Amino acid sequence: MFFNSKKYTQEAEKNRRHDLSDEPSMFNMISLGILASFIPTRFLLRLHKQHIENKATIEEKSGSFEQTPIIYFHGFRGGDYTTKVMIEQACKDKGNNKFLKVTVDLLGNFKLEGTWTGDKQPIVQVAFRQRIVGIYGIDYYMSFLLPFLAKCYQFSTYTAVAHSLASPCIVRTEMKYAKKKKFPHLNKCVCIAGPFNGVTYLGDIPNVNILNEKGRPNLMNPHYLYLLFRKRRFNPNIAFLNIYGNVLDNTNTDKFISVTSAKSIRYILAPNAHLYQEVEIRGRDAEHSWMHDNPFVIDIVNKFIGIKK
């Protein structure tokens, strides 16, 4: 049995309900994604003159506090629809339906819409315009996206809610820029269905790789080793929530990410973290592309990030 990319596309996008007419071509997404994945070729992307389309409004702060935004990230092949339901419920729980939407491309262009609210936890939705990118491409997005937002809206820490491939990228980014004081750093991090040590049938065969009694995976891919060797760079004061799925079909996966892969981050972060929590979602509602819309998951997330009691 091999990784079925067609099935993955259908499953990952089954909840999609928006116009694709303004989306970049497949050639654009793949070619720019390749350039972003290799450090020597990234300068070609930076040759493009940056364009910022700012239609957003900024509310005055309702006090003298420092703001810590909640930023939602989607993964491979995702989009604004991935985090739509989560954000709608977060706004409802906050009692404020306003949020900032940020659309960014690999050429460094930004489109800002909506509202940066004046409360302690403004909600921000990130949509990657070239959405067919791997882990190195999302890493590159993070490298200029987070400093841009921090400069625009004057914050130094943020809460991340990441789905799928964005999950390991958030952790990698924090480790990579741990010593950069001007780079925004994590306060809390929620990872949903994160492939920390491979994707099913693409470097991770179900029920082959297992965790030992200490939570250490027997097999480790290069991306996992990157995190493992830099684990001391991850600030132990960051509160971390790891949510993963098991559809109970004898594969111990959420159809695309194995329980072993998702849980393997525990071995790296939990020993030093002041707060590390895991939640396993089981059954039909634990499927990879449904997890971000699962009301039970959303309720857990909103309580963890502090917008619901």
Side-chain angles (χ1 to χ4, degrees):
M1 187 173 183
F2 298 96
F3 180 74
N4 189 329
S5 60
K6 182 178 180 181
K7 182 180 178 182
Y8 178 88
T9 301
Q10 293 172 344
E11 292 285 347
E13 302 192 9
K14 68 180 182 181
N15 295 321
R16 195 169 190 178
R17 297 287 187 277
H18 70 281
D19 183 12
L20 300 180
S21 60
D22 191 42
E23 184 172 85
S25 67
M26 187 66 68
F27 174 79
N28 176 284
M29 288 192 282
I30 293 176
S31 59
L32 294 190
I34 291 173
L35 292 178
S37 297
F38 300 97
I39 294 176
T41 58
R42 288 176 180 171
F43 81 95
L44 295 171
L45 299 173
R46 292 191 289 269
L47 293 176
H48 181 274
K49 186 177 180 181
Q50 186 183 52
H51 176 70
I52 300 173
E53 183 180 352
N54 190 351
K55 297 181 179 179
T57 58
I58 302 176
E59 292 183 345
E60 290 188 16
K61 288 200 299 183
S62 55
S64 59
F65 50 81
E66 183 174 348
Q67 293 179 296
T68 302
I70 303 168
I71 308 180
Y72 291 77
F73 301 92
H74 66 81
F76 179 76
R77 279 193 177 274
D80 54 3
Y81 62 94
T82 302
T83 56
K84 180 178 182 291
V85 176
M86 288 193 289
I87 289 173
E88 287 176 348
Q89 186 59 50
C91 289
K92 184 177 180 180
D93 289 341
K94 278 183 62 180
N96 185 344
N97 63 0
K98 298 178 182 178
F99 67 93
L100 179 73
K101 179 180 178 180
V102 181
T103 304
V104 57
D105 67 23
L106 288 170
L107 297 173
N109 300 316
F110 288 88
K111 182 179 180 180
L112 308 175
E113 304 170 276
T115 303
W116 174 271
T117 57
D119 57 285
K120 291 184 178 181
Q121 294 179 290
I123 291 177
V124 181
Q125 180 187 48
V126 171
F128 301 131
R129 190 159 161 75
Q130 284 79 29
R131 58 194 182 85
I132 303 180
V133 290
I135 196 165
Y136 297 120
I138 297 179
D139 278 356
Y140 182 62
Y141 269 124
M142 300 294 186
S143 71
F144 64 85
L145 166 67
L146 290 170
F148 173 82
L149 292 177
K151 183 178 180 180
C152 285
Y153 301 106
Q154 301 300 304
F155 65 88
S156 58
T157 61
Y158 70 102
T159 294
V161 179
H163 178 256
S164 193
L165 194 59
S167 298
C169 292
I170 289 293
V171 178
R172 286 167 60 93
T173 297
E174 185 64 29
M175 292 177 174
K176 184 177 180 180
Y177 296 99
K179 297 182 180 180
K180 301 289 185 180
K181 293 183 178 180
K182 294 184 178 180
F183 197 93
H185 294 286
L186 282 170
N187 174 50
K188 294 181 179 180
C189 182
V190 178
C191 291
I192 303 170
F196 294 102
N197 193 24
V199 177
T200 305
Y201 304 115
L202 194 65
D204 181 29
I205 301 175
N207 299 319
V208 171
N209 196 9
I210 60 174
L211 304 176
N212 66 18
E213 59 183 13
K214 294 183 179 180
R216 182 180 185 272
N218 287 340
L219 304 174
M220 306 179 193
N221 70 15
H223 302 305
Y224 185 81
L225 290 173
Y226 178 96
L227 301 177
L228 180 63
F229 293 151
R230 292 162 177 80
K231 64 180 181 179
R232 296 195 180 279
R233 297 185 184 183
F234 197 83
N235 190 331
N237 294 320
I238 299 169
F240 196 92
L241 172 62
N242 186 25
I243 303 176
Y244 56 92
N246 187 344
V247 296
L248 303 178
D249 65 351
N250 297 320
T251 64
N252 290 308
T253 71
D254 65 7
K255 289 191 178 180
F256 301 107
I257 309 300
S258 72
V259 171
T260 297
S261 179
K263 287 188 67 174
S264 62
I265 192 63
R266 181 185 182 93
Y267 179 75
I268 295 174
L269 300 184
N272 297 321
H274 87 282
L275 179 61
Y276 179 96
Q277 296 181 338
E278 280 185 348
V279 177
E280 179 175 286
I281 309 299
R282 296 183 173 184
R284 185 180 62 182
D285 292 343
E287 192 270 323
H288 187 79
S289 62
W290 167 244
M291 289 265 281
H292 50 70
D293 290 351
N294 185 327
F296 180 63
V297 171
I298 295 172
D299 189 65
I300 293 171
V301 170
N302 290 351
K303 288 178 180 177
F304 182 83
I305 61 180
I307 60 176
K308 183 177 182 179
K309 294 182 180 181

